Amino acid sequence: MHMQIKGTITYVNLVDGFWGIQGDDGMQYQPVGALPANFQQEGLRIQAQVSPHQDFSIFMWGQSVKVKKIELLQEK
């Protein structure tokens, strides 16, 4: 199942830290694996196609998702 999300990239300073997505829908999304380097910027607005991922995580932050496609959000 794929979902379209819009949100803001945020650095989550837990354990070793990781880049997450704070969704416009109020949800927090934890990408499985690293985001591409050009998307590792605090406050960057994005839209992404993701799918839920059942993953054991030590972070306890947000829903684990696989990012299928990610792009900058062109807001007007």
Side-chain angles (χ1 to χ4, degrees), residues 54-68:
Q54 297 301 320
D55 188 28
F56 174 75
S57 174
I58 62 172
F59 297 116
M60 303 295 286
W61 186 92
Q63 176 183 349
S64 291
V65 292
K66 273 197 169 184
V67 177
K68 303 291 185 184

Side-chain angles (χ1 to χ4, degrees), residues 22-42:
Q22 181 65 53
D24 289 354
D25 59 3
M27 296 285 294
Q28 297 170 319
Y29 299 96
Q30 179 186 345
V32 175
L35 289 175
N38 56 324
F39 287 95
Q40 295 180 13
Q41 298 178 39
E42 185 71 35

